[in-house]
Amino acid sequence: MKNTVILGALTIAGLSAGAAAAGTLDDVKARGKLNCGVTTGLVGFAAPDANGEWKGFDVAVCRAVAAAVLGDGSAVEFVPTTGKTRFTALASGEIDVLARNTTWTFSRDVDLKFEFTGVNYYDGQGFMVPKELGVSSAKELDGATVCIQTGTTTELNLADFFRSNNISYEPVPIETNAEAQQQYLAGACDVYTTDASGLAATRATFESPADHVLLPEIISKEPLGPLVRHGDNEWGDVVRWTLNALITAEELGVTSANLAEMAGGTNNPEINRLLGTEGTLGEMLGLSADWGKDALSVGGNYGEVFADNIGEATPIGLARGLNAQWTEGGLLYSPPFR
Ligand SMILES: N[C@@H](CCC(=O)N[C@@H](CS)C(=O)NCC(=O)O)C(=O)O
């Protein structure tokens, strides 16, 4: 097991060294399409709808970047990746950006050589169990079988949590969320553990969600965000500031409803810089003056994207919590547009 992990890391490191270091922005422009790595399917975050169109909170990041760069939020090739394949896909250049509930960690940055361009969801790892098990705390899970996705931080946190609580578990390794769901519902494992947002999204698709409970423990920090390869700062800037544009727009009250009007110019200079009627921020990024407006025209600001895909009015039902704006007691805090 240990050897496999080490070999996997070496393969990724090798690929990363060989991959093109720069020029992703030019590549995307020349191709006329953004290659965006997403999950294999997690409703609310990234999944094809009944018409085969990719939808979700992470999908919205891909579409916003495509709109900022190409003026078209549908100019995206969605590449499904698993917990295991996502880093190879990015390191090899198969995808331009990975937007797949991926946790920003030291080793993914420093060792795998990726650059996290921000956080689009502050999360933590949780546990789901069938109600009929009668378990009310993760500390009561001694000897449990646990469905767990390979190649994830989940795997590592789980080992740490059980070890520090002096309890044992039997892992049931799985590759995708769909497989986890199937195994868990079939009783192949007592517990499913992953990011709490993923548990909420998965439970929402169950026939009877109320038969399953999320335990109170959140055992880790999982800052999830889009990432690119090290060494291409211009491209990193494009992804970082597109995400910041969505966050800033919410803070400044720029919404789908007033975007067209505000893009005609306002008496708020920062809104004008964001939407390109003042200053040269677009030019500095190598984009058009109205890149910010284009990014916002796809799914609106961060708050709208959250509400439409995973918010309290959706079956997933997530509260803003840590993902509220800093002005509302949350952690979302975009640096200024100036
Ligand atoms: N945030 C963790 C876990 C990410 C993860 O793989 N989550 C699962 C469960 S929510 C997932 O997205 N599965 C979708 C799929 O199988 O493609 C990480 O970065 O390692």
Side-chain angles (χ1 to χ4, degrees):
M1 179 65 197
K2 244 186 196 149
N3 283 341
T4 324
V5 171
I6 290 165
L7 274 178
L10 284 178
T11 314
I12 291 165
L15 274 168
S16 152
T24 308
L25 178 56
D26 288 339
D27 289 349
V28 173
K29 284 181 180 170
R31 201 191 298 128
K33 232 177 191 192
L34 175 75
N35 292 332
C36 200
V38 289
T39 66
T40 58
L42 183 64
V43 173
F45 284 86
D49 68 9
N51 304 317
E53 200 179 318
W54 283 86
K55 290 272 163 62
F57 184 75
D58 286 333
V59 164
V61 172
C62 303
R63 292 198 190 281
V65 172
V69 176
L70 302 164
D72 179 2
S74 65
V76 188
E77 183 74 40
F78 290 98
V79 180
T81 63
T82 67
K84 263 188 181 164
T85 63
R86 59 185 154 170
F87 298 124
T88 317
L90 182 58
S92 68
E94 184 190 353
I95 54 176
D96 305 308
V97 56
L98 179 66
R100 183 201 182 281
N101 52 27
T102 294
T103 306
W104 185 345
T105 69
F106 182 105
S107 56
R108 288 170 178 180
D109 174 351
V110 177
D111 190 29
L112 297 188
K113 308 208 181 309
F114 297 126
E115 180 173 338
F116 285 82
T117 59
V119 174
N120 70 332
Y121 194 95
Y122 289 93
D123 209 347
Q125 182 174 338
F127 298 89
M128 176 165 63
V129 293
K131 206 174 202 169
E132 63 181 18
L133 269 191
V135 171
S136 59
S137 159
K139 293 182 183 161
E140 294 166 23
L141 292 174
D142 193 13
T145 48
V146 185
C147 276
I148 182 132
Q149 257 185 261
T150 48
T152 60
T153 49
T154 325
E155 234 180 343
L156 312 172
N157 300 327
L158 181 71
D160 286 359
F161 176 79
F162 275 73
R163 188 173 137 203
S164 56
N165 283 288
N166 267 319
I167 51 179
S168 67
Y169 67 99
E170 205 180 300
V172 179
I174 37 118
E175 295 267 331
T176 66
N177 193 58
E179 195 193 332
Q181 178 166 335
Q182 185 199 352
Q183 297 279 4
Y184 169 81
L185 288 175
C189 50
D190 304 315
V191 192
Y192 181 30
T193 182
T194 185
D195 300 337
S197 64
L199 291 178
T202 304
R203 186 171 67 162
T205 67
F206 289 178
E207 241 167 66
S208 14
D211 292 347
H212 303 269
V213 290
L214 304 184
L215 299 179
E217 287 87 357
I218 296 291
I219 65 163
S220 67
K221 286 186 292 187
E222 308 291 328
L224 312 176
L227 55 150
V228 297
R229 289 176 287 280
H230 261 188
D232 188 347
N233 298 59
E234 285 73 22
W235 178 241
D237 286 346
V238 167
V239 178
R240 171 178 303 104
W241 287 97
T242 301
L243 176 59
N244 284 334
L246 304 190
I247 295 170
T248 289
E250 180 182 34
E251 184 184 340
L252 300 178
V254 180
T255 68
S256 300
N258 64 23
L259 180 64
E261 187 197 327
M262 291 211 175
T266 72
N267 59 8
N268 179 326
E270 189 166 22
I271 294 181
N272 296 347
R273 287 191 293 271
L274 171 69
L275 301 181
T277 54
E278 226 177 287
T280 56
L281 299 189
E283 192 185 327
M284 293 177 199
L285 276 177
L287 303 177
S288 68
D290 50 7
W291 68 280
K293 177 189 164 213
D294 287 344
L296 288 160
S297 69
V298 188
N301 66 38
Y302 178 92
E304 294 178 275
V305 169
F306 191 105
D308 291 348
N309 292 291
I310 55 175
E312 283 174 312
T314 69
I316 298 166
L318 293 169
R320 287 292 292 267
L322 290 178
N323 297 293
Q325 292 281 338
W326 66 287
T327 46
E328 306 284 330
L331 295 179
L332 286 199
Y333 184 104
S334 163
F337 276 69
R338 69 156 65 258

